[in-house]
Amino acid sequence: MEGVGAAVAFWTLAGVTLFAAAGIMFSRNLLHAVLLLILTFIGIAGFFVLLSAEFLAMAQVIIYVGAIAVLVLFAVLLTPRAGRDNGESKMLLPAVLLAVCLGAVVLFVITDTSWNTVPSAPAVEHEPKVAASDLGEALLSTWILPFELASVLLTAALVGAILLVRSPEEEAEDMPS
Amino acid sequence: MSGIVRSEPFTLNIGPQHPSTHGVFRVKVTVDGEKIVDAEMVMGYLHRAMEKLAEERTYTQNIPFTDRADYLSSMSNNLGYVLAVEKLAGIQVPPRGNAIRVIMAELQRIANHCMAAGTFINDTGAWQTPVMWTFREREKIIDLFEMTSGARLTCNYMRIGGVAFDLPREFEPRARQLLEGLPGFFDEFEGLLVQNEIFLARTRGVGVVPPETAINASLSGPMLRASGVAWDIRKADPYCGYENYDFQIPLGYQGDSFDRFLVRIEEMRQSARIIGQALDGLPGGPHSTQVPLALRPPAGDAYARVEGPKGELGYYIVSDEGPSPYRFHIRAPSFINLSVLKEMVVGGTVADAVVSLGSIDIVIGEVDR
Amino acid sequence: MAPPVLVTDHWYDFRDLGNLSSRLLESLADVLPQGAVYVLAAVIGFVASFVIFVLPSQLFVGVYGERKLIARVQSRYGPNRVGPFGLLQPIADTIKLMQKEALTPKSADRALMYAAPALFVAPCVLLFAVIPFGPNMVFADTSVSLLFYVAISALPVISAFIAGWSHNNKYSVFGSVRMVAMAISYEVPLVLGLLGIVLFTGTLSLQGITIWQKELDIWLVVLQPIALAIFFIGVSAELNRTPTDIAEAESEIVAGYLTEYSGMKWGLFYGMDIGYALAASAFAATVFLGGWTLFGLERWVPPWIIFIGKTHLFYALFIWTRGTLPRLRIDQLMGFAWKFMLPLALVNLVMVATERMFWVEQAADDSVVYVFALVNIVAAGALVYAWSRILGYRPEDYPTKARLVETAGGYVPIESAKGGAQ
Amino acid sequence: MTREWTGAELAAAAERLVPGSVDRATATACFLKRDRLVETMAALRTDSETDFAHLTNLCGVDWWDRFEIVYHVQSLVANHVATIKVEVTDRGNPVVPSVSSVWWGAWMQECEAYDLFGITFDGHPNLHRIFLWEGYPGWPLRKDFLSMPGGLQPGLREFSGIERREPPPVKIVE
């Protein structure tokens, strides 16, 4: 994707995502924070589209916005007094200090490493377009091990969650009476 | 391990302004997640002190009050009151009067059960479709009432000693036409719903009342019969000549909401049979005996009861030889059938509570009197 | 994949309006600056798909048609007062809603309450970007348009949750919890069901699926009946249409997450509910009913008319279930999604995989698809019946008639009726 | 037909089951002593000959000088009905033992009697005003509730202006 439209799209998208990300930090209401989180996820999906990796963009929306954000919303629902704002905490000063140090490190990494960015000259014609099918083959051929490991991990997490939430009477009925 | 996830209870008001409480009636429900932990009924929003007002009026002026007690079955209410006064004053009713009373009471039962079955399915979520079907049949019955008594809902048609007016000429053909259509409608209505998996899933095993609890909680009517207790005052203590009509009493299996629906549909069929037999053998003669306007029954008390659509509808009248009753008490079946609501509702979800409440078929006018 | 040229590609050929718009854009390309054409194409796409197709069909099929059809189901007439045959009823409704006061409870979270309807409308417009109305009448023909639909259909759930949560009213919190729980549990079988389709057709793009059905002259509904059943139930759960409309169940939690909304805010939710139902039926028409193809007839009858007909046909299915079925309880719905639809979808996936492998390995000619269709239909019926029997569906146990007794004398124990005693 | 128990028959049965529980018997009803009420009711319910399993109706009556609670009980199996009454003369604080331990469903009708007459039922699980709100002044169905100025009493004035006589001393028709 190149041309004036793409550049305009990129900068607006970057602006929206950064504004939302900052908003998560500074918003006083828990629910506002979660919604801004969803906005950042959508922003990132927009970046993938700009990089013409549509499959990844759609996967990002489905997984992050469709599932993980909804589960975070559920968590917000279950915490009592979710609407309250996170008032002033004494830890403000150390937090700022830590933030500044981290910011310095990140900035140093950005400026120092040499990204092999594509020269802004006219882009290369035969852009290697990764189709969804190539992704599929790669997942099941070269990266088969992590794929299977991930599924095992997820099932374990699922079973763990169910065990965690079982109510006393369900537990009683499984005890060897 | 299981103590990690705690959810504190959460009180929710179903009513008084709620689409499925059939009037102004409130259930304060304490909910833990979707499960109901405790339910408390709050009534009295429609309390009109009917029993106090009745002490101010003569015996004949009280008849319109009984229309407004259970405004969906005014004929049965009138019948109950009029029978109590006749029992107190020892007045005989001519056979034609009795036959007309039976026809009207059974027509009222079909109209009431049409309303009850329709709104009950409405509570399980069908978008008003069954109600529209049952109301189409109910409209025909209400036209018959309007033709005879002049009013659609609160008919004020019964008088002490008989009925207010004789049947008009075109009542019989219209009634016969209605009776031909009814069996077809019942089969179609029942056929559509009884095998409907979603309806079965929502009503089977919901709001179960075992027979012992039903008797112990002095329930009556479809609630009692759905739990398998064969008790129908038209059979046990026949009034107005019910003994010479041939009909059967429907019984349920395990006393849940689905059985109440089945019992009501079957009762409508039996009522249609009774009306047919009553219309065939309609005797001639006067439709009511003359009763002095200032009726003064002898001192004493009388309790007469009728098998109303909602249950045993009793009237307890105490007279001190004055023109107005000294004490006028209505034994309201809806009010007493509500006593088991808490047992039916606790343990289920909010959706089940609404279905159980709908299956009791209450009318707030009668509950609050 | 070059768009197929079905008909002559003159711009005045109204059978395929795609030529018209592309010819218009090319002629303007040199006149306007480069970015403006991109924006203009978006405007044309929006006007064509949303304003010309969705809005009128929302009003006249969604509001008017639905109320007329449901009225007929309930043996009454439906709106016939406003305008000829009641046709102006939707306009009257909209005007009424617009002039009604949109209340905001004092303790509600105002910002969220105003944001929710807007967030509910935006995804609905997006959904119609990928639906192919004709050979090259598709606004954004990406290679992952099916995935795009599934992704965007997850967004209204979040705005419904915000709507319910921001009212600070007990009923709407109930409604939003139910909505979110339902959406999560019905998305899994829905996506697995669509996976079967993708496996067969081999492409994720809706245009590709339509062309696959055109070339093989078979509709995927015949090939994949289980997938259609799962899609229909999943989508009606996601949009909370009737058998599963527990998020705004009138008889239980008043109006669920819409309790506190009034005026046009409620109007937006109501309108866009119909919009999503239309999007779902458009998607189903494309994937299951062959989109704009009609076994070669699309050469004469304009393809977008065929497509609109199929969409409204599928929407009639939604109306039909809304008019007749009662509502399920939330735990039954959850159980149904995880214990019935998910296993069915997985088994369907396995069947499709084996058929696909057999088809590719043996390099059998394309007529084998009809054999697969037959096999799948029979397997669908057998699978559904067998699995429901396993899950304890015994219809013959339930008595359907009350017991009739002659006398009235106390408790009559149940000796005969089988199964009635439990 | 439903057989109605006469006062005498009922008194005999009650006396047989719980000696000394009958206060007096009239033609249609039998008055029980207040302190032995619950015990007798339980016996009448469980005895095979009387078997009053279904309490149909329970209501109060205000006779100016005394309150009366009327119980209509019936047996669904034997199909007979009986009327049992209880009197309480203390107008300031009328107390009647609650029969909800015998018939569990009586709690609602007793709440109604409490709400409209002010008769408290001791041993009642949850006695509260069921129709009116807790702070309601007075008990509506009592005869002296609506005592209008000028000594008028509730009850219909005679026809055509005959002066309303003093409330008649009620004669129990033997």
Side-chain angles (χ1 to χ4, degrees):
Chain A
M1 287 276 268
E2 66 294 317
V4 175
V8 166
F10 172 75
W11 287 111
T12 49
L13 215 56
V16 165
T17 319
L18 279 181
F19 158 73
I24 302 174
M25 300 308 134
F26 298 114
S27 85
R28 312 191 69 78
N29 180 334
L30 196 56
L31 194 60
H32 293 175
V34 170
L35 299 179
L36 288 171
L37 180 67
I38 294 173
L39 194 55
T40 35
F41 288 152
I42 295 176
I44 294 166
F47 288 132
F48 286 137
V49 168
L50 281 177
L51 291 169
S52 71
E54 285 107 359
F55 179 79
L56 217 53
M58 292 311 123
Q60 155 91 358
V61 173
I62 293 181
I63 295 167
Y64 278 99
V65 176
I68 293 182
V70 169
L71 292 185
V72 168
L73 278 179
F74 245 116
V76 160
L77 194 69
L78 293 178
T79 51
R81 298 191 316 287
R84 77 198 188 299
D85 53 11
N86 37 29
E88 303 317 318
S89 62
K90 312 191 290 307
M91 305 290 290
L92 194 58
L93 193 60
V96 165
L97 268 177
L98 190 62
V100 163
C101 301
L102 265 176
V105 165
V106 165
L107 265 177
F108 172 72
V109 163
I110 291 175
T111 50
D112 192 39
T113 56
S114 61
W115 311 91
N116 43 22
T117 50
V118 171
S120 62
V124 172
E125 283 326 312
H126 53 80
E127 201 175 86
K129 195 153 184 337
V130 175
S133 45
D134 316 335
L135 268 179
E137 268 143 42
L139 257 181
L140 287 178
S141 55
T142 51
W143 305 99
I144 187 75
L145 187 60
F147 181 73
E148 294 306 331
L149 273 180
S151 58
V152 167
L153 180 68
L154 283 177
T155 0
L158 204 61
V159 171
I162 295 172
L163 265 177
L164 206 60
V165 189
R166 265 168 18 134
S167 56
E169 55 272 6
E170 282 158 349
E171 220 160 277
E173 103 207 356
D174 296 344
M175 285 305 167
S177 53
Chain B
M1 173 65 106
S2 69
I4 291 176
V5 179
R6 288 179 329 286
S7 55
E8 70 279 344
F10 169 86
T11 56
L12 183 74
N13 274 327
I14 302 182
Q17 172 56 34
H18 190 275
S20 67
T21 46
H22 305 274
V24 268
F25 168 76
R26 174 167 145 213
V27 185
K28 222 186 282 181
V29 163
T30 318
V31 175
D32 173 8
E34 281 272 343
K35 209 157 71 67
I36 292 177
V37 172
D38 177 29
E40 185 214 343
M41 292 182 283
V42 179
M43 316 184 214
Y45 291 92
L46 201 60
H47 179 60
R48 299 159 289 190
M50 202 176 283
E51 293 171 358
K52 181 79 179 178
L53 292 175
E55 288 163 7
E56 299 284 306
R57 272 132 184 92
T58 69
Y59 285 93
T60 315
Q61 284 172 336
N62 275 333
I63 295 177
F65 272 139
T66 59
D67 282 341
R68 271 113 186 125
D70 175 357
Y71 40 77
L72 286 181
S73 48
S74 62
M75 288 289 190
S76 315
N77 284 16
N78 292 355
L79 186 58
Y81 171 67
V82 159
L83 281 178
V85 176
E86 279 154 14
K87 182 176 177 183
L88 192 61
I91 297 166
Q92 289 309 320
V93 179
R96 185 175 176 83
N98 271 335
I100 294 176
R101 281 183 175 178
V102 164
I103 294 171
M104 288 303 161
E106 291 311 318
L107 277 176
Q108 186 70 78
R109 191 185 312 280
I110 296 178
N112 178 280
H113 284 339
C114 275
M115 174 74 159
T119 45
F120 168 63
I121 304 160
N122 216 5
D123 290 346
T124 60
W127 264 75
Q128 270 88 16
T129 311
V131 173
M132 287 298 164
W133 285 39
T134 50
F135 263 49
R136 185 185 54 198
E137 299 307 315
R138 187 167 179 273
E139 248 352 90
K140 296 174 189 158
I141 294 173
I142 286 187
D143 291 347
L144 288 178
F145 286 158
E146 190 173 8
M147 184 195 308
T148 47
S149 67
R152 288 166 54 85
L153 213 58
T154 56
C155 306
N156 188 9
Y157 178 59
M158 310 272 182
R159 290 293 178 276
I160 300 167
V163 275
F165 327 97
D166 204 344
L167 294 180
R169 263 192 336 288
E170 57 281 327
F171 178 85
E172 177 137 3
R174 283 285 287 276
R176 290 248 185 263
Q177 194 189 347
L178 168 76
L179 285 184
E180 273 134 28
L182 277 184
F185 165 69
F186 293 143
D187 297 342
E188 185 191 22
F189 191 68
E190 198 180 34
L192 274 178
L193 282 162
V194 157
Q195 267 101 12
N196 183 325
E197 271 315 306
I198 301 179
F199 181 67
L200 266 173
R202 278 299 301 280
T203 49
R204 193 100 212 125
V206 167
V208 178
V209 176
E212 300 76 24
T213 325
I215 297 175
N216 211 340
S218 29
L219 302 187
S220 55
M223 289 277 287
L224 202 57
R225 287 191 282 279
S227 306
V229 179
W231 179 254
D232 186 327
I233 296 172
R234 295 174 295 174
K235 283 280 183 185
D237 181 7
Y239 49 90
C240 293
Y242 264 105
E243 61 276 7
N244 39 40
Y245 297 116
D246 154 34
F247 63 98
Q248 290 158 327
I249 322 168
L251 293 184
Y253 296 87
Q254 47 181 320
D256 56 10
S257 310
F258 183 69
D259 284 348
R260 287 183 207 112
F261 172 78
L262 279 186
V263 162
R264 287 203 178 92
I265 297 279
E266 201 50 48
E267 260 179 29
M268 284 201 273
R269 283 203 180 91
Q270 300 303 324
S271 300
R273 274 177 67 193
I274 296 174
I275 299 171
Q277 293 164 34
L279 275 177
D280 300 344
L282 197 59
H287 55 77
S288 75
T289 61
Q290 281 315 320
V291 168
L293 190 59
L295 177 69
R296 289 173 181 275
D301 61 359
Y303 176 72
R305 59 227 176 109
V306 160
E307 183 60 35
K310 301 198 169 52
E312 177 181 325
L313 180 62
Y315 280 84
Y316 177 66
I317 299 177
V318 177
S319 141
D320 65 343
E321 289 177 23
S324 64
Y326 186 81
R327 168 75 167 110
F328 170 96
H329 173 68
I330 306 174
R331 191 263 186 206
S334 302
F335 175 66
I336 295 171
N337 289 349
L338 274 177
S339 58
V340 281
L341 181 67
K342 184 168 182 220
E343 277 61 36
M344 285 160 70
V345 152
V346 167
T349 65
V350 174
D352 289 343
V354 166
V355 169
S356 316
L357 185 62
S359 71
I360 303 179
D361 172 26
I362 54 168
V363 167
I364 298 304
E366 188 177 48
V367 168
D368 292 348
R369 283 186 302 280
Chain C
M1 175 167 11
V5 178
L6 276 174
V7 292
T8 62
D9 55 1
H10 306 308
W11 63 271
Y12 50 77
D13 185 344
F14 68 91
R15 275 173 295 185
D16 187 351
L17 300 175
N19 303 343
L20 179 71
S21 64
S22 51
R23 199 62 46 77
L24 185 70
L25 285 174
E26 276 147 24
S27 60
L28 285 174
D30 41 26
V31 174
L32 296 173
Q34 208 264 347
V37 173
Y38 184 77
V39 169
L40 191 65
V43 165
I44 291 177
F46 169 72
V47 164
S49 70
F50 197 74
V51 173
I52 293 173
F53 165 65
V54 173
L55 225 51
S57 52
Q58 253 177 340
L59 287 178
F60 290 103
V61 172
V63 175
Y64 178 75
E66 178 150 359
R67 284 174 61 172
K68 269 287 197 197
L69 216 59
I70 289 192
R72 278 284 172 258
V73 164
Q74 298 174 352
S75 72
R76 57 185 171 86
Y77 284 138
N80 54 10
R81 285 285 186 279
V82 187
F85 305 107
L87 276 172
L88 293 183
Q89 180 68 37
I91 316 289
D93 282 356
T94 324
I95 295 170
K96 174 204 75 176
L97 278 177
M98 279 187 183
Q99 53 93 17
K100 274 239 170 27
E101 186 207 357
L103 300 168
T104 315
K106 194 160 59 61
S107 65
D109 187 337
R110 297 180 70 85
L112 288 186
M113 203 160 167
Y114 283 92
L119 289 177
F120 198 70
V121 170
C124 184
V125 177
L126 272 176
L127 278 181
F128 282 96
V130 283
I131 307 274
F133 288 79
N136 36 40
M137 278 168 64
V138 54
F139 176 61
D141 184 10
T142 59
S143 67
V144 280
S145 44
L146 185 131
L147 216 55
F148 179 85
Y149 175 84
V150 171
I152 298 297
S153 67
L155 293 181
V157 170
I158 294 172
S159 68
F161 176 83
I162 298 170
W165 181 261
S166 62
H167 295 318
N168 198 3
N169 152 346
K170 286 200 174 94
Y171 286 129
S172 41
V173 166
F174 251 89
S176 48
V177 166
R178 286 182 173 186
M179 177 79 167
V180 170
M182 282 277 295
I184 295 178
S185 18
Y186 274 89
E187 213 155 316
V188 175
L190 185 74
V191 170
L192 278 178
L194 293 179
L195 208 53
I197 305 286
V198 170
L199 217 60
F200 241 115
T201 53
T203 109
L204 267 171
S205 123
L206 292 177
Q207 188 74 312
I209 293 174
T210 323
I211 290 162
W212 185 86
Q213 291 177 53
K214 184 171 86 65
E215 271 143 20
L216 285 162
D217 270 343
I218 181 166
W219 284 1
L220 273 165
V221 68
V222 172
L223 207 54
Q224 282 283 32
I226 298 185
L228 177 66
I230 289 174
F231 176 79
F232 178 70
I233 297 170
V235 156
S236 68
E238 207 123 304
L239 309 171
N240 61 69
R241 301 283 303 194
T242 274
T244 55
D245 64 348
I246 56 168
E248 30 157 331
E250 302 76 31
S251 58
E252 290 132 34
I253 42 173
V254 191
Y257 59 90
L258 296 177
T259 326
E260 294 293 337
Y261 274 119
S262 57
M264 206 42 198
K265 279 194 268 192
W266 179 82
L268 274 181
F269 271 100
Y270 174 67
M272 283 313 144
D273 262 347
I274 298 169
Y276 284 116
L278 272 171
S281 20
F283 178 79
T286 334
V287 169
F288 290 105
L289 303 179
W292 43 267
T293 65
L294 197 61
F295 306 117
L297 266 180
E298 67 272 10
R299 201 173 290 286
W300 290 282
V301 178
W304 47 276
I305 290 185
I306 300 173
F307 176 74
I308 290 175
K310 284 181 186 166
T311 314
H312 293 165
L313 186 79
F314 202 89
Y315 187 76
L317 210 60
F318 282 124
I319 299 177
W320 179 26
T321 51
R322 181 174 181 176
T324 46
L325 294 176
R327 182 183 304 124
L328 276 166
R329 232 187 14 227
I330 177 144
D331 48 336
Q332 290 162 343
L333 278 174
M334 293 299 140
F336 183 71
W338 294 104
K339 286 190 241 170
F340 189 80
M341 273 167 63
L342 193 56
L344 219 60
L346 291 176
V347 167
N348 174 33
L349 212 55
V350 166
M351 270 182 358
V352 167
T354 48
E355 280 164 7
R356 174 79 182 167
M357 203 179 59
F358 169 78
W359 187 9
V360 168
E361 297 303 325
Q362 312 302 327
D365 63 349
D366 289 350
S367 69
V368 79
V369 170
Y370 297 101
V371 173
F372 290 154
L374 213 63
V375 164
N376 277 354
I377 290 174
V378 167
L383 255 173
V384 167
Y385 186 71
W387 189 249
S388 54
R389 293 297 284 192
I390 293 169
L391 285 185
Y393 162 70
R394 300 279 184 276
E396 64 280 1
D397 280 1
Y398 296 126
T400 57
K401 275 267 189 301
R403 301 177 287 158
L404 286 174
V405 171
E406 200 52 50
T407 62
Y411 175 53
V412 175
I414 304 144
E415 54 326 298
S416 61
K418 182 164 60 61
Q422 101 270 71
Chain D
M1 273 302 284
T2 306
R3 186 169 70 81
E4 296 204 6
W5 282 60
T6 62
E9 270 175 355
L10 200 55
E15 203 55 35
R16 172 171 59 80
L17 291 169
V18 176
S21 64
V22 175
D23 194 8
R24 55 188 165 79
T26 66
T28 57
C30 152
F31 284 79
L32 293 179
K33 288 198 176 60
R34 242 175 351 142
D35 42 20
R36 309 289 296 277
L37 175 71
V38 180
E39 192 188 339
T40 343
M41 288 292 200
L44 283 172
R45 180 167 192 273
T46 47
D47 175 58
S48 60
E49 189 223 348
T50 52
D51 177 36
F52 293 129
H54 193 260
L55 168 76
T56 333
N57 183 20
L58 183 153
C59 64
V61 184
D62 172 11
W63 291 99
W64 289 97
D65 52 358
R66 54 186 166 73
F67 285 108
E68 202 180 83
I69 299 283
V70 181
Y71 302 87
H72 292 276
V73 285
Q74 66 184 354
S75 152
L76 306 184
V77 175
N79 190 2
H80 51 236
V81 170
T83 315
I84 301 170
K85 295 187 180 178
V86 165
E87 275 173 346
V88 51
T89 49
D90 168 10
R91 198 162 179 77
N93 172 18
V95 174
V96 171
S98 156
V99 288
S100 54
S101 56
V102 179
W103 292 285
W104 166 77
W107 71 271
M108 241 174 140
Q109 302 182 61
E110 280 171 353
C111 277
E112 183 195 354
Y114 165 70
D115 187 359
L116 301 181
F117 280 95
I119 301 165
T120 53
F121 293 84
D122 61 1
H124 188 283
N126 160 22
L127 197 60
H128 64 287
R129 301 196 71 145
I130 203 158
F131 293 136
L132 305 168
W133 57 96
E134 284 307 331
Y136 187 80
W139 314 100
L141 268 183
R142 284 193 181 183
K143 286 297 176 189
D144 55 8
F145 177 67
L146 272 185
S147 49
M148 286 77 81
L152 279 178
Q153 280 87 28
L156 190 64
R157 273 180 299 289
E158 293 304 327
F159 288 91
S160 63
I162 303 165
E163 195 41 49
R164 170 93 168 126
R165 48 184 165 70
E166 271 312 306
V170 174
K171 310 185 290 309
I172 302 297
V173 173
E174 285 315 321

